[in-house]
Amino acid sequence: METLSNTDFDRLEKLLRTKRLEELSTTEKQWIHTVISEEEYASMSGLYLMLNNSTQSLDLEPQPAIKSRLDGAWSAKYKHPGIFQIKLPAYQTVAAAMIFFLIGFAINWNRPVQPKIIRETVQVIKYISQPESTKVKQHEAPQLEQRKVIQPTQPEPVQPIRDEVEHGLPELNPEYARQQEITMANITHAMNEKVGSSIGSDTVLQKMLVRVY
Amino acid sequence: MALFKKNYSTKSDEELMSLLAQGGQSAFDELYKRYSKPMLNFFFRMLNNDREKAKDMLHDLFLKTIEKPDSFDRSKKFNTWFYTLANNMIKNEYRSRQIHAEHHKQILAVNNELYEMNDGNFDTNLFNNRLQLELDKLDIDAKTIFNLRFVEEMSIKQIAEIMNCPEGTVKSHLFTLTKLLSKKLSIYKPELN
């Protein structure tokens, strides 16, 4: 700016925007002469007025498509990832697992222990490990010769009993028959244990039968 | 939910920009509502009335706001910062293509045609075309200053910030421009002479 200072420009522009040449006062005209000619002022004030009118006429509206594209860009940037798409560092995953484990442990620790209610019982059968020592009374068998009394306290004489079974003993005396059966069961049990086949492999029914014997 | 909806229309541009940086889409919508139209018209004038290019530039300008909201200089007013962004985009566009020369011929042809059709009966459109033609002859800085002052009606201080130059330079440009244009366009306002 050759002759116009900043302050002078502000004053000149204010006059150009508000007043035509004819509307200027004498004092203002005198000041104008120090800056520009009257012709220049008239042209410039006319331009200001025309600009004031013309610039209002241009009024473009942005299309909605622009906003839609921008909304798409916004969503792409600020879209919240799904819960299964969140990437976690390994140490955070391990820490979370530890926390869950400790919480579960604490819950079980504080829980009161409830008494167990037994609804089913199993009968345990005690097998005879040793032959019972039973005193056998001596009976006289009618019309039969006197027999030798067997001493069941000694398990050694297995063979004589077997022999007697083979020969067919009289079944007239039930007491004697029962003792014989007990003896046979004991012998069978002892033999099984010796051979290695445990009685534990028997069925419950077999065990019960044994007990009855 | 309407009870909890914030009223963004009463917030300042700077407040909206802060909310936008925190991911507030409503703040962005409000800023778009306020500035899309003036910015589109600014681009339209600065890019020699290229409507399609002006739309693209408007989109790119708001896209920059979405992508880099932190680049907002809080020491400046929002509209000053926004127009600075726009001005930089226009300068890049001018550098990338010879927009100046292309449009000069186009406007001249339209102007002559209108002059013949109207038989000396000048109207506002004709004046605008001629004004655009004269502005296209100027360098980009002078054209920007002219538009910011007479169209966007910004203060000298704001223009100086946008152009990154002293206020005195802006005033000097404006005084020279006004004198030059008043001479060249005096024919379009015979009633004022």
Side-chain angles (χ1 to χ4, degrees):
Chain A
M1 206 179 306
E2 296 148 12
T3 55
L4 206 62
S5 66
N6 285 352
T7 318
D8 288 345
F9 174 82
D10 295 337
R11 187 179 176 187
L12 176 64
E13 198 184 39
K14 190 179 177 183
L15 288 173
L16 285 168
R17 282 182 184 275
T18 53
K19 291 183 180 179
R20 292 187 180 186
L21 182 65
E22 306 83 55
E23 295 166 353
L24 291 174
S25 65
T26 314
T27 317
E28 286 169 340
K29 274 189 181 177
Q30 283 175 348
W31 181 79
I32 289 294
H33 287 153
T34 62
V35 182
I36 49 173
S37 66
E38 283 193 7
E39 277 187 8
E40 284 175 326
Y41 183 88
S43 299
M44 287 170 79
S45 66
L47 178 69
Y48 268 84
L49 284 172
M50 284 294 285
L51 288 171
N52 195 36
N53 296 330
S54 65
T55 51
Q56 304 294 328
S57 61
L58 189 61
D59 210 16
L60 293 178
E61 286 284 346
Q63 290 180 329
I66 298 172
K67 183 67 171 64
S68 301
R69 280 157 62 195
L70 289 168
D71 286 341
W74 180 276
S75 302
K77 186 179 180 187
Y78 292 100
K79 191 174 78 177
H80 300 291
I83 193 165
F84 297 110
Q85 294 173 329
I86 297 171
K87 291 178 181 174
L88 287 175
Y91 77 91
Q92 285 186 5
T93 312
V94 172
M98 287 292 290
I99 289 166
F100 281 120
F101 174 76
L102 290 172
I103 289 169
F105 185 76
I107 289 168
N108 284 330
W109 183 265
N110 293 328
R111 195 172 60 182
V113 180
Q114 292 179 347
K116 278 188 177 178
I117 300 167
I118 300 167
R119 300 187 185 280
E120 292 180 0
T121 56
V122 178
Q123 189 176 9
V124 179
I125 300 165
K126 189 175 180 181
Y127 293 99
I128 302 161
S129 57
Q130 293 295 325
E132 291 179 4
S133 57
T134 311
K135 289 183 179 179
V136 180
K137 292 180 181 177
Q138 195 174 9
H139 298 277
E140 289 184 1
Q143 297 177 354
L144 285 174
E145 60 181 359
Q146 189 70 29
R147 294 181 66 86
K148 190 168 68 180
V149 177
I150 301 165
Q151 296 294 332
T153 51
Q154 297 173 355
E156 300 301 329
V158 172
Q159 192 61 38
I161 294 170
R162 194 174 284 175
D163 290 340
E164 285 169 8
V165 171
E166 285 173 0
H167 287 96
L169 292 173
E171 297 177 357
L172 297 175
N173 191 344
E175 182 88 16
Y176 179 76
R178 188 173 180 279
Q179 286 177 1
Q180 192 177 17
E181 285 174 356
I182 288 168
T183 309
M184 283 299 293
N186 288 337
I187 291 163
T188 309
H189 176 68
M191 285 181 71
N192 284 341
E193 282 189 341
K194 192 175 181 181
V195 171
S197 64
S198 172
I199 202 160
S201 60
D202 293 342
T203 62
V204 174
L205 183 62
Q206 286 171 327
K207 289 172 183 175
M208 288 173 72
L209 283 170
V210 170
R211 190 163 181 267
V212 167
Y213 284 135
Chain B
M1 290 299 287
L3 286 171
F4 301 105
K5 197 174 181 180
K6 292 177 184 175
N7 187 12
Y8 287 95
S9 59
T10 56
K11 292 191 180 297
S12 68
D13 296 341
E14 291 75 22
E15 285 175 325
L16 289 172
M17 199 59 202
S18 296
L19 291 168
L20 187 149
Q22 293 165 17
Q25 190 170 9
S26 301
F28 172 74
D29 292 343
E30 181 63 28
L31 277 174
Y32 184 82
K33 190 178 163 186
R34 290 182 192 180
Y35 283 94
S36 59
K37 193 173 167 181
M39 294 312 295
L40 179 66
N41 285 289
F42 178 66
F43 281 127
F44 183 70
R45 288 189 186 92
M46 291 301 297
L47 295 167
N48 296 339
N49 296 357
D50 187 342
R51 195 182 293 258
E52 290 306 314
K53 192 67 197 171
K55 287 177 190 171
D56 289 345
M57 297 284 265
L58 178 72
H59 173 264
D60 292 348
L61 178 66
F62 276 98
L63 195 62
K64 281 183 180 180
T65 315
I66 291 172
E67 288 176 346
K68 292 179 180 175
D70 296 330
S71 63
F72 170 53
D73 185 356
R74 294 179 194 283
S75 63
K76 289 184 179 179
K77 286 179 74 178
F78 173 78
N79 69 338
T80 307
W81 172 75
F82 211 44
Y83 274 94
T84 307
L85 272 183
N87 188 40
N88 290 337
M89 288 170 68
I90 290 163
K91 280 183 178 175
N92 289 336
E93 182 64 23
Y94 267 76
R95 284 193 201 104
S96 66
R97 62 174 182 159
Q98 289 185 332
I99 191 170
H100 203 80
E102 284 173 18
H103 201 66
H104 184 83
K105 291 176 186 172
Q106 193 184 344
I107 289 284
L108 193 63
V110 172
N111 205 24
N112 289 336
E113 194 179 334
L114 283 169
Y115 183 81
E116 287 167 9
M117 283 171 66
N118 285 285
D119 196 21
N121 183 21
F122 307 111
D123 59 5
T124 309
N125 288 336
L126 200 59
F127 171 78
N128 282 336
N129 284 333
R130 185 59 193 249
L131 174 65
Q132 190 67 48
L133 183 67
E134 295 301 332
L135 288 173
D136 289 343
K137 292 176 185 172
L138 305 172
D139 64 273
I140 179 71
D141 285 344
K143 192 176 175 181
T144 307
I145 289 171
F146 180 86
N147 273 310
L148 292 176
R149 184 62 174 167
F150 292 105
V151 181
E152 309 302 329
E153 295 178 347
M154 286 188 177
S155 67
I156 301 291
K157 189 183 175 185
Q158 275 185 298
I159 297 170
E161 281 184 27
I162 291 167
M163 301 304 294
N164 196 23
C165 65
E167 289 184 33
T169 309
V170 176
K171 288 177 181 177
S172 175
H173 269 295
L174 281 172
F175 180 68
T176 312
L177 269 171
T178 317
K179 265 177 86 172
L180 180 72
L181 291 172
S182 65
K183 279 180 188 173
K184 295 205 171 186
L185 299 172
S186 60
I187 190 171
Y188 291 96
K189 43 189 184 315
E191 77 281 0
L192 296 173
N193 287 327

